[in-house]
Amino acid sequence: MRVPFKKNIIVFILCLNITCILAQNKIPKIQVEKGEATTAFIEAKIDSIIAVLTLEEKVAMTHAQSKFSTKGVARLGIPEVWMSDGPHGVREEISWDAWENAGWSNDSITAFPALTCLAATFNPELANKYGYNLGEEARYREKDVLLGPGVNIYRTPFNGRNFEYLGEDPFLASTMVVPYIKGIQENGIAACVKHFALNNQEHWRDKINVEVSDRALHEIYLPAFKAAVQKGNVWALMGAYNKFRGQYTTHNKILHKILKTDWGFDGVVISDWSSVHSTKEAALYGVDMEMGTGTDGLGTTTSNHYEHYYLATPFLKAIKNGELSEDLVNDKVRRILRLIYRTNLNPDRGLGKLNTKQHHKVAREVAAEGIVLLKNQDNFFPIQDKEGITIAVIGENATRNMTQGGGSSQLKPLFEISPLQGLKERYKHAKIIHTMGYESGPSVYDATIPAALNQDSLYVKAIEVAKKADIVLFAGGLNKSYHQDSEGDDRENFALPYGQEKLINSIYEVNKNLGFLLLTGNAVGMNWLPKTKGVIQTWYLGSMAGYAIADVVSGDVNPSGKLPFSFPKELNDNAAHSFGEISYPGNGVDQEYKEDIFVGYRWFDTKKIEPQYAFGYGLSYSNFTISDVKINQAKFNKNDKIKVTFNVTNTGDREGAEVVQVYVGKPKSKVKRALKELKGFAKISLDKGTEKTASVTINASDLAYYNTEISDWSLEKGTYYLYVGNASNNIKKKIKFIIY
Ligand code: GLC
């Protein structure tokens, strides 16, 4: 029977509506209301979304669509995921598909101190404030993932990226990274702990195959990642470029099992840019988001460029032909959707803030508290602001921009207060004069471009200026140029570059009142040390650098920073540099961490080598005593807590803070061990002439070593010692105890 045309249309519209209603019921409501966002509710919602996603949509979510974003699913209202560097500030907007800035005018931010400075504060509460304020800026810049923190252990003073990381000790790095991550993620921004794992140098980073023992892997190189995952609940993690035991770390079978099976990581593994090299391995060994892959020009436009990624068309084809299971892409999408519900679709996240006074205050606070006073002969520091005195500030680092360069962590701050500006603003009575002294060269990317100014004239001028001054402050060190403190390659000399040593020696000849502001993210050769009366390690401090440096130089702030890594007297005193090329930098293919667990002070202690400056060392304008050190009992089992109590007295004439460090060692052991290892610390602030009783609590189970015979941790019974002091080489009290 022919249905009249009009009725036909009505029937068609009715069918369409029913289909839509049915389909509507199948397509889940993506949004989550406040209070609904319980884990169970989210997981159920994820299940319902995966059920209606096409295979093409799922695969598309697992790789980049641009330099710093991945696809969403528009038809379902699933948003894209946007990410940005970096660990100490939100990077300027990068072009959609090119390594160049997008030229925005609203992406200037607060540059916080580099993380080596944060580690030097030994202040976990401050790490949380740092993370929270940085996370506010990432939120305001509408990012979902902030590509930081970096926690790779400081193994060699040559590593170009040490300035971005938290030093040589796994306990310090673990203790500082957790509150930093929590602070960031309180904003509904995912932190992304990196680079997992064993990326401890930049030279040959994209190919070097690291061989290291299981003990050193688990006791030295993984703990900060494990803490980030299990204590920090980090929502994202970045794979590294290098190989481990012959397989790329970004999709490494061993590391994948440790991360997702053993540790229970439920977040997203983001590759480093171009660190994926195999569809099958990326699919099987845990890559959830493939970023930055070079497709050798296969992509002719920004649209189809990304179709050639390992987790793009090749992955889709492998699933369709049954070579790879669809379960693999489902797990990746589940993790990505979980990330989206923790960030973009999180109903509880704020709107963020940018360049606020609070952000500047925190940046200055971290900077001033992380600065380390290394030498202070004749109370050279603090320098009084007195009429009639002339202070000569000499050195390129007095004015050099230190937020540009250094690689992916470079920033475009709203402002950057230079050391010279900070000192000029603080010293109203003393006369500040300045000359450059030396010039490193105009480019942070190409060290071969010669300096523009005549080095001899700079040198001569510097001596002249030094002669006229009562006090000389030399602002030198390294910088963010290639082969200095920069990503992409390593330093090639341990000594200060750009003729600084010769200049310092010559300045000393005309003015003995010489102090050094050492702007570096690494240890450097210090043959020039006897020519100085005072040395301040000032790190890379970001937007508020000059103010923080002036705070400490003037005495407005009493320095309380402690070194997060050792300064060797000679490069070959360092563990990694004690075993020839195969140990560092490797032979171009393989590298062996022959020092094993003896990294940093562990090496100096055990080999009885005196460092120039030790891990945990830092002076104050005050003096402190540590006394009456006690332990709560003499014998402990694995479930007990070891409580160390002590008194700290400020015997100086001003307020200050001391970091009491508690190390533990086991002299007689069935396995090789370092003399002692940091297992706790407490930063105690004290007014002048006052005393406080404080304590550090250590879980006895945390004294276990990684037992390679059982591939798990073992707590050895027997005699141990506590070492309590204010530096790894300045122990005030040693107490014996038993584990039974
Ligand atoms: C770089 C870095 C990584 C950074 C990424 C994106 O190669 O290794 O730390 O987050 O690429 O810029």
Side-chain angles (χ1 to χ4, degrees), residues 67-68 84-87 91 99 147-148 161 164-165 194-195 199 202 205 238 241 271-273 408-409 487:
K67 268 280 175 272
F68 284 91
S84 169
D85 292 309
R91 189 175 184 176
W99 280 118
L147 301 170
R161 292 184 85 172
E164 285 190 56
Y165 304 151
K194 67 187 185 180
H195 306 82
N199 178 187
E202 289 300 289
R205 69 172 177 170
M238 186 185 293
Y241 284 118
S271 76
D272 202 337
W273 271 238
S408 58
S409 68
E487 176 180 341

Short mmCIF file of all heavy atoms in Angstrom, two decimals, residues 67-68 84-87 91 99 147-148 161 164-165 194-195 199 202 205 238 241 271-273 408-409 487, ligand 1:
data_model
loop_
_atom_site.label_atom_id
_atom_site.label_comp_id
_atom_site.label_asym_id
_atom_site.label_seq_id
_atom_site.Cartn_x
_atom_site.Cartn_y
_atom_site.Cartn_z
N LYS A 67 51.84 20.03 18.02
CA LYS A 67 53.05 19.94 18.82
C LYS A 67 52.75 19.60 20.27
O LYS A 67 53.48 18.84 20.90
CB LYS A 67 53.79 21.29 18.78
CG LYS A 67 54.82 21.37 17.68
CD LYS A 67 56.12 20.69 18.03
CE LYS A 67 57.08 20.69 16.88
NZ LYS A 67 56.88 19.51 16.00
N PHE A 68 51.69 20.16 20.84
CA PHE A 68 51.44 19.98 22.27
C PHE A 68 49.99 19.64 22.59
O PHE A 68 49.47 19.99 23.65
CB PHE A 68 51.85 21.25 23.03
CG PHE A 68 53.33 21.38 23.20
CD1 PHE A 68 54.11 22.06 22.27
CD2 PHE A 68 53.98 20.77 24.26
CE1 PHE A 68 55.48 22.15 22.41
CE2 PHE A 68 55.37 20.85 24.41
CZ PHE A 68 56.12 21.55 23.47
N SER A 84 51.85 21.60 28.24
CA SER A 84 52.90 22.61 28.05
C SER A 84 54.05 22.31 28.98
O SER A 84 53.85 21.84 30.10
CB SER A 84 52.36 24.01 28.38
OG SER A 84 53.45 24.94 28.45
N ASP A 85 55.26 22.64 28.51
CA ASP A 85 56.37 22.67 29.44
C ASP A 85 56.10 23.80 30.42
O ASP A 85 55.26 24.66 30.12
CB ASP A 85 57.68 22.92 28.66
CG ASP A 85 58.02 21.72 27.79
OD1 ASP A 85 58.05 20.61 28.30
OD2 ASP A 85 58.26 21.92 26.58
N GLY A 86 56.79 23.95 31.55
CA GLY A 86 57.81 23.03 32.01
C GLY A 86 57.84 23.07 33.52
O GLY A 86 56.94 23.58 34.18
N PRO A 87 58.85 22.55 34.06
CA PRO A 87 58.92 22.30 35.51
C PRO A 87 59.01 23.54 36.39
O PRO A 87 58.68 23.46 37.57
CB PRO A 87 60.18 21.45 35.64
CG PRO A 87 60.95 21.65 34.39
CD PRO A 87 60.00 22.05 33.33
N ARG A 91 55.58 27.42 29.70
CA ARG A 91 56.30 27.87 28.49
C ARG A 91 55.41 28.75 27.62
O ARG A 91 54.18 28.60 27.65
CB ARG A 91 56.72 26.63 27.72
CG ARG A 91 57.66 26.85 26.55
CD ARG A 91 58.09 25.52 25.97
NE ARG A 91 59.06 25.69 24.90
CZ ARG A 91 59.64 24.66 24.28
NH1 ARG A 91 59.35 23.42 24.61
NH2 ARG A 91 60.52 24.86 23.32
N TRP A 99 58.46 24.10 15.80
CA TRP A 99 59.19 24.48 17.01
C TRP A 99 59.49 25.97 16.98
O TRP A 99 60.62 26.39 16.89
CB TRP A 99 60.49 23.68 17.11
CG TRP A 99 60.31 22.30 17.64
CD1 TRP A 99 60.60 21.16 16.97
CD2 TRP A 99 59.78 21.91 18.92
NE1 TRP A 99 60.29 20.06 17.75
CE2 TRP A 99 59.79 20.49 18.94
CE3 TRP A 99 59.30 22.60 20.02
CZ2 TRP A 99 59.34 19.75 20.05
CZ3 TRP A 99 58.86 21.87 21.12
CH2 TRP A 99 58.88 20.47 21.13
N LEU A 147 54.30 19.71 31.85
CA LEU A 147 55.35 18.71 31.62
C LEU A 147 56.53 18.92 32.58
O LEU A 147 57.59 19.36 32.21
CB LEU A 147 55.79 18.76 30.15
CG LEU A 147 54.66 18.51 29.15
CD1 LEU A 147 55.10 18.83 27.74
CD2 LEU A 147 54.14 17.08 29.26
N GLY A 148 56.26 18.57 33.80
CA GLY A 148 57.26 18.64 34.87
C GLY A 148 56.62 18.04 36.11
O GLY A 148 55.41 17.87 36.14
N ARG A 161 71.07 19.14 31.95
CA ARG A 161 69.75 19.44 32.52
C ARG A 161 69.69 19.29 34.04
O ARG A 161 68.61 19.33 34.61
CB ARG A 161 68.68 18.56 31.88
CG ARG A 161 68.44 18.88 30.45
CD ARG A 161 67.31 18.07 29.86
NE ARG A 161 66.00 18.70 30.13
CZ ARG A 161 64.87 18.25 29.59
NH1 ARG A 161 64.89 17.16 28.83
NH2 ARG A 161 63.72 18.86 29.81
N GLU A 164 67.41 21.43 36.09
CA GLU A 164 65.95 21.21 36.10
C GLU A 164 65.52 20.19 37.14
O GLU A 164 64.33 20.00 37.34
CB GLU A 164 65.50 20.66 34.74
CG GLU A 164 65.45 21.64 33.61
CD GLU A 164 64.77 20.99 32.41
OE1 GLU A 164 63.62 20.52 32.54
OE2 GLU A 164 65.40 20.95 31.35
N TYR A 165 66.49 19.50 37.77
CA TYR A 165 66.15 18.33 38.59
C TYR A 165 66.40 18.60 40.07
O TYR A 165 66.74 19.70 40.48
CB TYR A 165 66.96 17.12 38.10
CG TYR A 165 66.77 16.79 36.64
CD1 TYR A 165 67.80 16.18 35.92
CD2 TYR A 165 65.59 17.06 35.96
CE1 TYR A 165 67.66 15.86 34.58
CE2 TYR A 165 65.44 16.75 34.62
CZ TYR A 165 66.47 16.15 33.94
OH TYR A 165 66.33 15.84 32.60
N LYS A 194 59.09 13.30 35.01
CA LYS A 194 59.93 12.91 33.87
C LYS A 194 61.39 12.87 34.28
O LYS A 194 61.75 13.37 35.35
CB LYS A 194 59.70 13.89 32.71
CG LYS A 194 60.17 15.33 32.96
CD LYS A 194 59.72 16.25 31.82
CE LYS A 194 60.29 17.67 31.98
NZ LYS A 194 59.87 18.57 30.90
N HIS A 195 62.29 12.22 33.48
CA HIS A 195 62.05 11.42 32.27
C HIS A 195 62.33 9.98 32.65
O HIS A 195 63.43 9.66 33.11
CB HIS A 195 63.00 11.87 31.18
CG HIS A 195 62.96 13.34 30.91
ND1 HIS A 195 63.66 14.27 31.68
CD2 HIS A 195 62.29 14.07 30.00
CE1 HIS A 195 63.42 15.48 31.22
NE2 HIS A 195 62.59 15.39 30.20
N ASN A 199 67.63 8.93 32.39
CA ASN A 199 68.07 9.98 31.47
C ASN A 199 68.95 10.94 32.27
O ASN A 199 68.51 12.02 32.68
CB ASN A 199 66.83 10.68 30.93
CG ASN A 199 67.13 11.83 29.98
OD1 ASN A 199 66.22 12.54 29.57
ND2 ASN A 199 68.37 12.06 29.63
N GLU A 202 72.64 14.48 28.78
CA GLU A 202 72.03 14.92 27.53
C GLU A 202 72.82 14.42 26.32
O GLU A 202 72.29 14.29 25.24
CB GLU A 202 71.94 16.44 27.51
CG GLU A 202 70.89 16.98 28.48
CD GLU A 202 69.51 16.48 28.15
OE1 GLU A 202 68.95 16.91 27.14
OE2 GLU A 202 68.99 15.61 28.89
N ARG A 205 71.58 11.47 24.34
CA ARG A 205 70.38 11.09 25.11
C ARG A 205 69.38 10.27 24.27
O ARG A 205 68.63 9.47 24.79
CB ARG A 205 69.68 12.31 25.67
CG ARG A 205 69.04 13.19 24.60
CD ARG A 205 68.20 14.29 25.24
NE ARG A 205 67.63 15.18 24.23
CZ ARG A 205 66.70 16.09 24.51
NH1 ARG A 205 66.27 16.23 25.75
NH2 ARG A 205 66.22 16.88 23.57
N MET A 238 56.37 10.97 31.91
CA MET A 238 56.97 11.03 30.58
C MET A 238 58.09 10.02 30.43
O MET A 238 58.98 9.94 31.29
CB MET A 238 57.52 12.43 30.31
CG MET A 238 58.03 12.60 28.87
SD MET A 238 58.80 14.19 28.57
CE MET A 238 57.42 15.29 28.72
N TYR A 241 64.25 9.34 26.48
CA TYR A 241 64.77 9.06 25.14
C TYR A 241 65.69 7.84 25.10
O TYR A 241 65.70 7.08 24.13
CB TYR A 241 65.62 10.25 24.68
CG TYR A 241 64.84 11.45 24.22
CD1 TYR A 241 64.94 12.66 24.87
CD2 TYR A 241 64.00 11.38 23.11
CE1 TYR A 241 64.25 13.77 24.45
CE2 TYR A 241 63.30 12.48 22.68
CZ TYR A 241 63.42 13.68 23.36
OH TYR A 241 62.73 14.79 22.93
N SER A 271 54.93 10.07 25.82
CA SER A 271 56.31 9.90 25.35
C SER A 271 57.04 11.23 25.42
O SER A 271 56.41 12.30 25.44
CB SER A 271 56.30 9.42 23.90
OG SER A 271 56.00 10.52 23.04
N ASP A 272 58.35 11.16 25.42
CA ASP A 272 59.06 12.41 25.17
C ASP A 272 58.91 12.66 23.67
O ASP A 272 58.47 11.79 22.92
CB ASP A 272 60.54 12.29 25.59
CG ASP A 272 61.14 13.66 25.83
OD1 ASP A 272 60.61 14.65 25.27
OD2 ASP A 272 62.12 13.77 26.60
N TRP A 273 59.28 13.83 23.24
CA TRP A 273 59.01 14.19 21.84
C TRP A 273 59.98 13.44 20.94
O TRP A 273 61.18 13.66 20.98
CB TRP A 273 59.09 15.70 21.68
CG TRP A 273 57.78 16.38 21.94
CD1 TRP A 273 57.10 17.19 21.06
CD2 TRP A 273 56.96 16.31 23.10
NE1 TRP A 273 55.92 17.63 21.62
CE2 TRP A 273 55.80 17.10 22.87
CE3 TRP A 273 57.07 15.65 24.33
CZ2 TRP A 273 54.78 17.24 23.81
CZ3 TRP A 273 56.04 15.78 25.26
CH2 TRP A 273 54.92 16.56 25.00
N SER A 408 63.80 23.02 26.58
CA SER A 408 62.34 23.06 26.65
C SER A 408 61.82 23.78 27.90
O SER A 408 60.67 24.15 27.98
CB SER A 408 61.79 21.64 26.64
OG SER A 408 62.34 20.92 27.73
N SER A 409 62.67 23.95 28.90
CA SER A 409 62.21 24.62 30.14
C SER A 409 62.35 26.14 30.03
O SER A 409 62.11 26.86 31.00
CB SER A 409 62.99 24.13 31.35
OG SER A 409 64.34 24.55 31.28
N GLU A 487 69.57 21.76 27.86
CA GLU A 487 69.11 20.49 27.27
C GLU A 487 69.77 20.27 25.92
O GLU A 487 70.14 21.21 25.24
CB GLU A 487 67.59 20.61 27.08
CG GLU A 487 66.94 19.44 26.41
CD GLU A 487 65.44 19.64 26.27
OE1 GLU A 487 64.88 20.48 26.99
OE2 GLU A 487 64.85 18.94 25.43
C1 GLC B 1 61.94 17.73 25.19
C2 GLC B 1 62.25 17.36 26.61
C3 GLC B 1 61.03 17.21 27.48
C4 GLC B 1 59.99 18.24 27.05
C5 GLC B 1 59.53 17.86 25.66
C6 GLC B 1 58.53 18.86 25.10
O1 GLC B 1 62.72 16.99 24.30
O2 GLC B 1 63.09 16.21 26.82
O3 GLC B 1 61.43 17.40 28.85
O4 GLC B 1 58.90 18.24 27.97
O5 GLC B 1 60.61 17.71 24.74
O6 GLC B 1 59.14 20.09 24.88
#
